[in-house]
Amino acid sequence: MKVAFFDAKPYDKPSFDRYGAENSIEFKYFETKLNEDTAELANGYDAVCAFVNDTVDAKVIDKLCGMGIKVLALRCAGFNNVDMKYAYGKLHVLRVPAYSPYAVAEHAMALLLTSIRRIHKAYIRSRDFNFSLSGLTGFDLHGKTVGVIGTGRIGRVFIDICRGFGMKVLAYDKFPAQGLDNGDTVRYVGTDELFANSDIISLHCPLTEETYHIVSEESLQKCKKGVVLINTSRGALVDAEALLNGIKSRKVGAACLDVYEEESNLFFEDNSGHILEDDTLARLISMPNVIVTSHQAFLTEEALENIAETTVLNLVEFFNKNQCENELCYRFGNTEDCKNGKCF
Ligand code: NAD
């Protein structure tokens, strides 16, 4: 089986080559992202493998189907970049529903600790033999309240980590997890209560029409002064302009961003020699209390192994049985895992 692999990075290849070779799958790595202009590169391949910033809209779906391609293997969990409604009945979409939730949850905590203990400042100072502590005062996490939006696999690991720090947790999820609310240190609440009472807010829900700009001018108004925002989920959960205004007005004490609304043409690439056109991102990065990493939270050895293994096994399962447990189905206005096998 030959698979066109878009948006390929050097760190993808070792694990995909290994699992591919074990399962008679040959990957052709294209550095370019998948979009309307590049879809033709997939001509002659049996399937396409795509990542978070590839574009799989109606035009791309039509092009892929026109070349006889019936399978898209996403090597990620999120699928907000795929027009699932349009794909239904045309293109089978497989995904990696879970891979090391620890990678993302631990990165969220790494960003939080870096930010509130000013590690990013201290690192640069001490490299310049500046051992002054002025301006480096942080605060204890112990006893603070963290609001966690989305209590799925990653959200729950993040909650466990926070509980290890002695924090209280206010959780919100459209579909609350059984047994998580203990009525004491972890409580499910509505978003209004979460925004109003959290010292730190961390986003772990998917990007959907409902969650788009869940952090907005309006929701930030409800927050405590000095709230710390962590977003390791999807950029468009946060209205970046509203966040910038919140930082300027001192309402937001700090922001830790691994994702950004307009990241697709910037993140994962070296833009250091270019003029950054995105004024909002440039302004955010210029703030002393904003830390930006470029969609790095998933990037651990364990997660890369999990991703390659599941992607390859998804393709093998689909091509052997014409169905796959990790296929996504669009039905009745919702996209969900097609646990029962064949989607259409
Ligand atoms: P998951 O499916 O296990 O959990 C998502 C949770 O969000 C579920 O409990 C679900 O009920 C909840 N949810 C759905 N709609 C909601 C809504 N409207 N309001 C509140 N909660 C809602 O997913 P996960 O594996 O925990 O991943 C969470 C997100 O993390 C993914 O959607 C993805 O966007 C992001 N992610 C980021 C990276 C990265 O490298 N930065 C890596 C992997 C995943």
Side-chain angles (χ1 to χ4, degrees), residues 77-78 80 95 97-99 104 149-156 172-175 204-208 210-211 214 232-234 258-259 295-299:
N80 52 286
R95 71 161 178 159
Y99 56 88
V104 182
I149 299 183
T151 56
R153 283 167 283 249
I154 296 169
R156 288 203 301 275
Y172 171 73
D173 197 297
K174 193 176 173 189
F175 308 101
H204 299 289
C205 58
L207 175 62
T208 63
E210 276 172 304
T211 60
I214 196 167
T232 56
S233 212
R234 283 293 180 268
D258 186 52
V259 284
H295 211 132
Q296 182 190 332
F298 75 99
L299 196 62

Side-chain angles (χ1 to χ4, degrees), residues 136-198:
L136 298 186
T137 309
F139 63 82
D140 291 2
L141 287 179
H142 183 88
K144 296 294 184 302
T145 299
V146 60
V148 178
I149 299 183
T151 56
R153 283 167 283 249
I154 296 169
R156 288 203 301 275
V157 174
F158 185 71
I159 287 172
D160 281 346
I161 295 171
C162 290
R163 291 182 67 193
F165 276 79
M167 301 169 82
K168 293 200 172 83
V169 180
L170 295 177
Y172 171 73
D173 197 297
K174 193 176 173 189
F175 308 101
Q178 293 285 327
L180 185 64
D181 187 327
N182 60 16
D184 180 22
T185 49
V186 184
R187 285 195 303 119
Y188 273 112
V189 295
T191 46
D192 278 358
E193 190 176 341
L194 185 147
F195 283 121
N197 294 319
S198 300

Side-chain angles (χ1 to χ4, degrees), residues 20-190:
E22 285 170 11
N23 291 279
S24 307
I25 297 180
E26 189 188 319
F27 289 103
K28 171 70 181 174
Y29 298 104
F30 295 109
E31 286 181 16
T32 181
K33 291 189 180 59
L34 175 61
N35 57 39
E36 193 191 344
D37 300 327
T38 61
E40 271 165 32
L41 288 167
N43 202 4
Y45 290 88
D46 302 299
V48 161
C49 183
F51 196 47
V52 292
N53 288 324
D54 289 308
T55 305
V56 192
D57 56 13
K59 286 179 184 161
V60 170
I61 292 167
D62 280 345
K63 283 204 168 178
L64 295 178
C65 293
M67 294 184 287
I69 292 169
K70 293 191 175 59
V71 183
L72 169 71
L74 293 173
R75 54 181 192 279
C76 52
F79 47 84
N80 52 286
N81 54 332
V82 182
D83 186 338
M84 287 302 304
K85 187 175 179 182
Y86 194 78
Y88 187 73
K90 302 182 184 78
L91 187 68
H92 294 276
V93 181
L94 322 180
R95 71 161 178 159
V96 181
Y99 56 88
S100 181
Y102 311 102
V104 182
E106 289 172 13
H107 190 77
M109 181 49 86
L111 288 175
L112 176 61
L113 285 171
T114 302
S115 169
I116 65 155
R117 300 308 302 269
R118 321 283 187 246
I119 304 295
H120 54 310
K121 299 277 168 203
Y123 174 75
I124 290 169
R125 276 191 198 182
S126 57
R127 286 182 70 82
D128 202 24
F129 309 116
N130 173 355
F131 302 118
S132 157
L133 295 183
S134 301
L136 298 186
T137 309
F139 63 82
D140 291 2
L141 287 179
H142 183 88
K144 296 294 184 302
T145 299
V146 60
V148 178
I149 299 183
T151 56
R153 283 167 283 249
I154 296 169
R156 288 203 301 275
V157 174
F158 185 71
I159 287 172
D160 281 346
I161 295 171
C162 290
R163 291 182 67 193
F165 276 79
M167 301 169 82
K168 293 200 172 83
V169 180
L170 295 177
Y172 171 73
D173 197 297
K174 193 176 173 189
F175 308 101
Q178 293 285 327
L180 185 64
D181 187 327
N182 60 16
D184 180 22
T185 49
V186 184
R187 285 195 303 119
Y188 273 112
V189 295

